[in-house]
Amino acid sequence: MPPPIPPPVPRLSDVARAAGTSPITASRALRAPDQVAPATRARVEAAARALGYVPNLLAGALASARTHTVGVLVPTIASSIFAATINGLTSVLEEAGFAILLAQSGYDPAREARGLAALLGHRPEGVVCIGAPLSPASAAMLAAARRAGTAVVETWEIPDAPIGAAVGFDNHAVGRAVAAHFAAAGRRRLVFAGGTDPRAAARSAGFAAGARDAGLPAPARLRLPVPAAMDNATEACRTDPRLATADAVFAATDIHAMGLLTGFRALGRAVPDAVAVVGLGDLDLARHTQPALSSVRIDGDAIGRRAAALILEGGGDPPPRIDLGFTLIARASG
Amino acid sequence: MPPPIPPPVPRLSDVARAAGTSPITASRALRAPDQVAPATRARVEAAARALGYVPNLLAGALASARTHTVGVLVPTIASSIFAATINGLTSVLEEAGFAILLAQSGYDPAREARGLAALLGHRPEGVVCIGAPLSPASAAMLAAARRAGTAVVETWEIPDAPIGAAVGFDNHAVGRAVAAHFAAAGRRRLVFAGGTDPRAAARSAGFAAGARDAGLPAPARLRLPVPAAMDNATEACRTDPRLATADAVFAATDIHAMGLLTGFRALGRAVPDAVAVVGLGDLDLARHTQPALSSVRIDGDAIGRRAAALILEGGGDPPPRIDLGFTLIARASG
DNA sequence: ATCCCGAATGACAGCGCTACCATCAACGGT
DNA sequence: ACCGTTGATGGTAGCGCTGTCATTCGGGAT
């Protein structure tokens, strides 16, 4: 049996022929309806519907130099901490008729560079990254893309020298605020537990600075693998002596914080009496842990929406650096 | 000041000129290196690097009819229940050099149809959906795309008449299994709590069937808004009398289940003594709730990887229906 | 020496669409 | 009656790349 020949996909010229117009008029009838006579438009629309015509956006993009595509580069979508940002971002962009090209770095510089190159090959009109690029190669590609007119927005941190716009918050200040919070509560043996990514590092540095300002000993720095997993934090409670003596732990994400609650419970260390725990992200689950989790609230949805808005206006000129702030929500855990 | 003229993006012909070859040879040097003499290849690669050349994949796709793009249509990425699937899917596809186009339906049929049309306009080589299409319009578009050669995979359920391939599990059987589990533990007043999506509905129907088989009264069916949010389930404990008298609740996702734990705690109803709770998804957090959450484990990562593999082989012929099964993990909550 | 073959390279056309400019009819002001 | 103006439509060219041939050339088999 010969392989079945797939039926040809209808093209604009097919629609035009069926509607009795030229291809260009059919194109306008679909894209700019008020530039064609109502009767013509109706014929074209009917023909398109009858044929099941789906415009080839690739060809349109090539001809018009407008791709209506935005690239999104995230460390991982498996960790719920960024989900709200991606959600806000895509909601706005889809509404505006943009398609989303997704790439993940997995916190790996080489993978990030590969993914970014693939993104840029599709000539997106904008690129939104969560975090600054991990490698000089990525940064160079982004900078070149920006020079060529691509809007670039970094989120979740505000680098000293952003490539384009930046929408985020001050991770260093977050660390200081949490340290001050612990100090005010009389805690003294602080620990920072978090990933190895630059944002966690900034929080850690701020945490240390805040402890110093409050006259406390330097906090311990516990490195946990990325992407964040609850079990890793739980495991650390068993294996890391610094957690056994801590009286306050700042976890770089609520994911880690929840894992710590489990670990401390297993150890018989009462939260918050023996040890306080504060997370970051204020995920839904923070209100549902036992005890309820104190957390630094980040409005991830707002970050995403703001980043999308910036893309839609071409990245801003000059590209703004927007600090959306944070709020320390004190609950039962410390 | 006149608007700054962006520098032109280097094209293949620029690379070719710099390397002293024809464009077509430069193209081959980059895509099929072993068809080009080593010396030539080296010159082209050097030129590309020096110019910062990024191939225009749109133009390449138009010319070759290979887009190296896969569309992914999900209800929402905000709910972590699908994160593992998207993760597995994208890992495999990125590895194979495919770009991911993401669209969300938000559980809304109209939005799904719009998003799907936008996806198909980019002529993806495959489309992966989480769930079957919500509307006949979406189904028709997918069926047409499949006839035209696009691989189509539905996941997380196995429809009676899939459009293309299907990778998932039997949601109805899940419901039966949980009902049997509750019956064996002597529970009698069952409640199903979940969203209004087809998969939750199938679980609910199976749950009812299982209860009937065990000689139990028909379970109550509690409808919670989608996408799943913990707080909605917690709130339902306060407001819905059926939860006040239930002795076993099957929540359609672990998200809801965790919200129920909080709600029951507030009500003073002990879990599992007064009421058992079983979730679905076996998310990380199931091991970290208090009490630890019993859950139906779904291997979301495997679903994603399998779906990706099917896309890479063109959807399979005939398109397979793959049941990856599930496991009921009994923990402390029931 | 002849022939053939494969390796390396190139010319040409075209993917499906849209930007740009041209055309043409209908119309109102003078 | 003339002319500019507006609204509707169409022709042409080209976006940047690759499929499909065609061409060239050196070297081993005969």
Side-chain angles (χ1 to χ4, degrees):
Chain A
M1 182 171 99
I5 298 166
V9 176
R11 295 166 300 178
L12 186 60
S13 59
D14 298 322
V15 174
R17 194 174 327 111
T21 74
S22 70
I24 184 66
T25 298
S27 171
R28 272 193 289 252
L30 297 172
R31 289 180 305 135
D34 37 303
Q35 286 180 33
V36 301
T40 312
R41 184 200 319 169
R43 287 207 317 280
V44 171
E45 284 169 354
R49 215 172 313 116
L51 294 172
Y53 173 66
V54 178
N56 186 326
L57 268 22
L58 267 52
L62 188 59
S64 70
R66 294 289 318 260
T67 58
H68 290 287
T69 293
V70 173
V72 179
L73 183 61
V74 301
T76 169
I77 54 149
S79 175
S80 39
I81 190 106
F82 303 130
T85 297
I86 306 178
N87 202 43
L89 185 67
T90 55
S91 298
V92 174
L93 291 175
E94 285 179 5
E95 190 69 30
F98 279 77
I100 311 296
L101 268 170
L102 182 71
Q104 295 184 77
S105 74
Y107 295 96
D108 171 2
R111 186 173 164 195
E112 178 187 78
R114 272 203 318 278
L116 187 55
L119 281 190
L120 294 176
H122 288 90
R123 297 294 187 265
E125 297 186 25
V127 175
V128 177
C129 312
I130 291 188
L134 297 172
S135 69
S138 299
M141 276 190 280
L142 270 180
R146 191 175 120 71
R147 280 194 300 276
T150 308
V152 173
V153 182
E154 291 157 280
T155 64
W156 274 75
E157 61 185 296
I158 306 180
D160 290 335
I163 294 167
V167 181
F169 56 96
D170 184 339
N171 284 282
H172 195 270
V174 165
R176 297 179 71 96
V178 175
H181 171 77
F182 283 150
R187 311 279 174 172
R188 289 195 54 84
R189 298 183 306 283
L190 310 192
V191 173
F192 177 89
T196 52
D197 57 287
R199 292 166 299 291
R203 285 166 214 154
S204 175
F207 194 57
R212 193 180 333 109
D213 290 355
L216 299 182
R221 164 74 156 107
L222 199 65
R223 280 164 214 283
L224 265 14
V226 285
M230 293 179 188
D231 290 340
N232 293 329
T234 304
E235 172 75 5
C237 288
R238 279 208 310 112
T239 58
D240 198 300
R242 293 171 295 181
L243 285 175
T245 56
D247 67 1
V249 184
F250 176 30
T253 87
D254 283 355
I255 304 295
H256 285 145
M258 189 172 190
L260 290 176
L261 293 184
T262 306
F264 284 136
R265 187 183 308 123
L267 248 51
R269 301 206 64 203
V271 175
D273 293 345
V275 55
V277 175
V278 169
L280 181 138
D282 194 28
L283 305 184
D284 277 2
L285 62 81
R287 292 187 299 279
H288 294 263
T289 56
Q290 182 72 327
L293 187 63
S294 299
S295 187
V296 177
R297 166 178 298 214
I298 307 298
D299 192 344
D301 187 75
I303 291 178
R305 289 177 179 278
R306 197 66 185 270
L310 278 170
I311 292 289
L312 293 180
E313 57 194 59
D317 187 30
R321 309 169 74 210
I322 298 169
D323 188 338
L324 255 23
F326 60 90
T327 319
L328 177 47
I329 311 279
R331 296 200 180 88
S333 73
Chain B
M1 182 171 102
I5 297 167
V9 176
R11 294 166 299 178
L12 185 59
S13 58
D14 298 322
V15 175
R17 192 173 329 111
T21 76
S22 69
I24 185 64
T25 297
S27 171
R28 273 194 287 253
L30 298 172
R31 290 180 306 136
D34 38 302
Q35 287 181 32
V36 169
T40 313
R41 183 198 322 169
R43 286 207 319 281
V44 171
E45 283 169 353
R49 213 172 312 115
L51 294 173
Y53 173 68
V54 178
N56 186 328
L57 267 24
L58 266 52
L62 189 60
S64 69
R66 294 287 320 258
T67 58
H68 291 287
T69 292
V70 172
V72 179
L73 182 60
V74 301
T76 170
I77 53 149
S79 175
S80 40
I81 189 105
F82 303 130
T85 298
I86 305 179
N87 202 44
L89 185 67
T90 55
S91 300
V92 174
L93 290 176
E94 285 179 6
E95 190 69 29
F98 280 76
I100 310 295
L101 267 171
L102 182 72
Q104 295 184 77
S105 73
Y107 294 98
D108 171 3
R111 186 174 165 194
E112 177 187 78
R114 273 202 317 279
L116 186 55
L119 280 190
L120 293 177
H122 287 90
R123 298 293 187 265
E125 297 186 25
V127 176
V128 177
C129 312
I130 292 189
L134 297 172
S135 69
S138 299
M141 277 190 280
L142 271 180
R146 191 175 119 71
R147 280 193 301 275
T150 308
V152 173
V153 182
E154 290 156 281
T155 63
W156 275 76
E157 62 186 295
I158 307 179
D160 290 334
I163 294 167
V167 182
F169 57 96
D170 185 340
N171 283 281
H172 195 270
V174 166
R176 297 178 71 97
V178 175
H181 171 76
F182 283 151
R187 311 280 175 172
R188 288 196 53 83
R189 297 183 307 282
L190 310 192
V191 172
F192 177 88
T196 53
D197 58 285
R199 292 167 297 292
R203 284 165 215 154
S204 175
F207 193 56
R212 193 180 330 112
D213 289 355
L216 299 181
R221 164 75 156 106
L222 199 64
R223 279 164 214 283
L224 264 16
V226 286
M230 293 179 188
D231 289 339
N232 293 329
T234 304
E235 172 74 4
C237 289
R238 281 207 311 111
T239 58
D240 199 300
R242 293 172 294 182
L243 286 175
T245 56
D247 68 0
V249 185
F250 175 29
T253 89
D254 282 356
I255 305 296
H256 284 145
M258 189 172 190
L260 291 176
L261 293 183
T262 305
F264 285 135
R265 188 182 307 123
L267 248 49
R269 301 206 64 202
V271 175
D273 294 343
V275 56
V277 175
V278 168
L280 181 139
D282 195 29
L283 305 184
D284 277 2
L285 61 80
R287 291 187 299 278
H288 294 263
T289 56
Q290 181 73 330
L293 186 63
S294 299
S295 187
V296 177
R297 166 177 299 214
I298 306 299
D299 191 343
D301 187 76
I303 291 178
R305 289 178 180 276
R306 197 66 186 270
L310 278 170
I311 293 289
L312 294 180
E313 56 194 57
D317 188 29
R321 308 169 75 212
I322 299 170
D323 188 337
L324 254 25
F326 60 89
T327 319
L328 177 46
I329 311 279
R331 297 199 181 89
S333 73

